Each structure stands twice: as C-alpha cells, then as structure tokens.
Amino acid sequence: MKNYLLKALAYDKQVRIYVVRCDNVLNNLARRLNYYPSALASVGRVMAFTTMMGGMLKLEETVTVKVDGDGPIGLIMAEADAHGHVRAYASNPHCHFEYNSANKLNVRETVGHTGLISVIKDLKLKEPFVGSVPIIDGELAKDFAYYLMISEQVPSVVSLGVLVNTNNLAKSAGGFIIQLLPNTKEEVIDAIEKKLNTLPTVSEMFQNGMTLEQIGRMLGDDTFEVVETIPVKFRCTCSKSRFSKGILSLGKEEIQDMIDKEHGANTVCHFCGKNYEFSEDELIKLRDKAK
C-alpha cells in the first residue's frame, strides 16, 4: 500500500485533519535492524506521529520526537521534515510483550509507564523550540495528545496503530490527528466526539482497505477537503563526516584510548544500520583536531 501523508480541513475549516500510512517505511527499519513485534509497534507509533508533526512544518524546518520511558525498549527517537522524510530508531529493538487478555502487542509494557516525551522543533531560528511532558499512559496516542494540549495548547485527538505480521514486519502502520482550530463551535466539538465513539480503530480501517482519503472523510463532514498529499519516505542523514564530528566531541583522551585499544573504530548508525569504519590514521587526525 502506498505510504503518504494527507492534510485536510473539515467542518467549514474549523478542524485540521492529518492522516498517515507508513508501514513500508517502518519495514525498511525492521529489515535492517531485526525489530521484535512490540518494539516495532512502539517505534511505528512514534514514527507515524512524528511524520504528521512534520506535516505541520514549513520549508526546511524539522522535528524530533523522543520517547524516553522506563520500559525495556529504552529511548525511541524519530525525526521528520515538512517533505515526508522520516527516520526512527529504538535503543533496544529486541524486546517483545503481548497482552495476557488478548492477542495484541503490549506497547505500554514495551515503552514503560513513566518517563518523558520531548519534541524538538528546528524552526531555523536562533534556538529550537523544545516542549516536554511526562508519559501518562504508555500506549503513546494519549501521551501525544497530552503533549499537543499542554505544550502547544492545541486540543487534539491522536489515534495510532501498527499491525505486525508473524514475519515481524508491519502489515499496516499509521494514524490520524484531529486538531481544533481557534474558535471551533461547540456543535462541531460535539459532532466529533460522537463520531469518535463509533469509529473503528486505525488498524481496522487499514485492514478494511480504506484509503487515507476515505479515513479523512469518515473523520470529517460534508465540507471535508484535501489540502495536500505528501509521499512518506525513509531518509537517513547519517554520513562519515557526521560521525567524525561525534568522535571529535569525545576529546583527545578518549580518541587516544580508541587508538591504543582498537587501532581503529567501527561506528553504526542507529537509524539505518549503516557502518562507518575509521582507520587508525583517521583517528590520529581526529585526535590532533580534538580539544
């Protein structure tokens, strides 16, 4: 299924709707780094939300979302821009939990019950915008809605879902965000609340073969209009030059220790799994540049 982000307006332009599907992009990550099911579901939810947050940006702005809970997956981080490019990773992709009462992936136990969610927006100003809220649920959709309300003062509904096949690849992944614009009428809010009580889950919508446009129309009303659709693609911005800067930041003593013990270095990008080798001579040059 095609992966893309849909941006729309509804209810006489009083409500913004974002809908995304990103399973192909998520599986790019799963194949490279061998994610276990509930870890993949957790990262997929963060990826879907971050992609939609990227859709709220302009030009060369970027957003980074970090979920740092007390669960075994550790830190989950995703980055996106306004053009549908996204990448994500988790500190420990090899963890898995299921709910005892149902055959569902247990994202809450994977992520954890407590911790911090941080959103960093690079708006190409002097300083980035940084907003943080505590994890209040662990399933992530409510947590992200809480972030939007508390940190950005935008009343929002967030729904996220990832279905994982027995081959540990995502069958579907995505979600939607409904945002109330200023001065939204009470009758519109009531209509949305009633609609949400009867809606199937995002995963069920994808299983039923619904397109993003169909999902958006289900969330909206007769005034629903698509503003833009953007292809969603995996893009990693790693490079040997970036890793060189990371090694430089370690300082002379640590670089010398790498030279003495390893006679070189092998670095791996957490996002894409790509390896960058540094020879002893390259480390010596970096050591001489380091503070």
Side-chain angles (χ1 to χ4, degrees), residues 148-219:
L148 289 168
M149 183 65 212
I150 299 300
S151 194
E152 301 196 7
Q153 290 82 52
V154 182
S156 306
V157 175
V158 180
S159 181
L160 304 167
V162 178
L163 280 178
V164 181
N165 270 323
T166 53
N167 61 357
N168 290 0
L169 294 178
K171 186 176 181 180
S172 66
F176 66 76
I177 297 175
I178 302 172
Q179 292 192 324
L180 304 181
L181 295 175
N183 302 316
T184 301
K185 295 179 180 178
E186 285 297 327
E187 54 263 35
V188 170
I189 298 173
D190 292 340
I192 293 172
E193 287 178 348
K194 289 179 181 177
K195 185 168 288 190
L196 291 172
N197 289 331
T198 61
L199 281 178
T201 66
V202 172
S203 294
E204 288 171 338
M205 293 180 190
F206 286 142
Q207 273 190 303
N208 292 333
M210 293 181 66
T211 65
L212 302 193
E213 287 81 0
Q214 289 171 327
I215 294 172
R217 290 186 185 281
M218 183 180 286
L219 300 173

Side-chain angles (χ1 to χ4, degrees), residues 1-215:
M1 185 70 73
K2 184 180 177 183
N3 282 193
Y4 62 105
L5 169 67
L6 178 143
K7 300 193 283 185
L9 293 169
Y11 300 97
D12 292 318
K13 299 183 179 180
Q14 296 178 70
V15 174
R16 280 190 301 235
I17 297 174
Y18 300 87
V19 193
V20 70
R21 181 154 186 168
C22 58
D23 42 289
N24 294 340
V25 183
L26 182 60
N27 284 335
N28 185 309
L29 182 71
R31 292 188 183 95
R32 287 173 183 266
L33 299 173
N34 188 30
Y35 271 72
Y36 288 7
S38 71
L40 189 67
S42 303
V43 172
R45 293 186 185 192
V46 178
M47 176 184 283
F49 175 75
T50 306
T51 304
M52 290 187 282
M53 290 292 289
M56 301 175 193
L57 302 176
K58 300 175 182 177
L59 300 174
E60 300 309 309
E61 297 172 351
T62 60
V63 60
T64 300
V65 176
K66 296 181 179 180
V67 178
D68 195 3
D70 61 352
I73 196 169
L75 175 68
I76 304 173
M77 185 164 79
E79 298 176 356
D81 62 18
H83 310 291
H85 300 122
V86 63
R87 64 177 188 166
Y89 85 90
S91 297
N92 177 22
H94 301 147
C95 56
H96 175 65
F97 294 92
E98 291 184 1
Y99 284 112
N100 293 328
S101 58
N103 188 26
K104 290 184 178 181
L105 299 177
N106 192 334
V107 170
R108 183 178 288 114
E109 288 300 319
T110 306
V111 172
H113 301 263
T114 60
L116 195 68
I117 289 175
S118 301
V119 177
I120 304 99
K121 292 183 180 180
D122 183 357
L123 305 178
K124 304 308 174 185
L125 303 173
K126 287 186 177 180
E127 297 292 334
F129 167 84
V130 181
S132 298
V133 294
I135 291 173
I136 60 169
D137 180 63
E139 288 282 347
L140 296 178
K142 290 182 180 178
D143 300 288
F144 290 138
Y146 182 68
Y147 161 78
L148 289 168
M149 183 65 212
I150 299 300
S151 194
E152 301 196 7
Q153 290 82 52
V154 182
S156 306
V157 175
V158 180
S159 181
L160 304 167
V162 178
L163 280 178
V164 181
N165 270 323
T166 53
N167 61 357
N168 290 0
L169 294 178
K171 186 176 181 180
S172 66
F176 66 76
I177 297 175
I178 302 172
Q179 292 192 324
L180 304 181
L181 295 175
N183 302 316
T184 301
K185 295 179 180 178
E186 285 297 327
E187 54 263 35
V188 170
I189 298 173
D190 292 340
I192 293 172
E193 287 178 348
K194 289 179 181 177
K195 185 168 288 190
L196 291 172
N197 289 331
T198 61
L199 281 178
T201 66
V202 172
S203 294
E204 288 171 338
M205 293 180 190
F206 286 142
Q207 273 190 303
N208 292 333
M210 293 181 66
T211 65
L212 302 193
E213 287 81 0
Q214 289 171 327
I215 294 172

Side-chain angles (χ1 to χ4, degrees), residues 266-269 272-277:
N266 177 35
T267 59
V268 181
C269 176
C272 67
K274 189 172 181 179
N275 287 277
Y276 293 96
E277 297 279 352

